[in-house]
Amino acid sequence: MLLKRWLLVFYIGFWGGAIGVLGKLALTLMSPSQLIFFRIFISLLVLSIILVTQGKLGQPLQLVRSNLGHFVLLAVSGVGLA
């Protein structure tokens, strides 16, 4: 269990540090706004795959549908203020 925890810490530390370098390299290929939307797309894709495999995709979708106005306001303010 302790080894698993240390491997997780190493994994997060490595990729957390590498993301800055990879982001700097990606800026030569894309604009910052394209990079932001590309990262959001990848995050949503991975999260959706995880939720589908666990059979829990319906719960977040129902939450978004019931609070759609709030999510739109958060999205507009987050993108506009970024």
Side-chain angles (χ1 to χ4, degrees):
M1 185 67 169
L2 186 62
L3 176 64
K4 188 176 180 180
R5 190 173 299 164
W6 278 107
L7 287 174
L8 181 63
V9 168
F10 175 76
Y11 174 80
I12 292 170
F14 177 79
W15 287 109
I19 195 72
V21 175
L22 295 174
K24 192 173 275 195
L25 293 173
L27 282 176
T28 61
L29 302 173
M30 312 178 199
S31 71
S33 60
Q34 288 174 324
L35 186 60
I36 290 169
F37 285 111
F38 186 67
R39 288 178 66 187
I40 290 171
F41 174 76
I42 291 174
S43 299
L44 287 174
L45 181 66
V46 170
L47 182 61
S48 297
I49 290 171
I50 291 170
L51 290 173
V52 165
T53 57
Q54 293 180 354
K56 297 180 180 179
L57 185 62
Q59 294 169 346
L61 291 178
Q62 184 180 10
L63 179 70
V64 170
R65 275 192 216 110
S66 64
N67 298 302
L68 188 60
H70 292 105
F71 280 102
V72 169
L73 180 65
L74 287 170
V76 168
S77 65
V79 171
L81 296 175

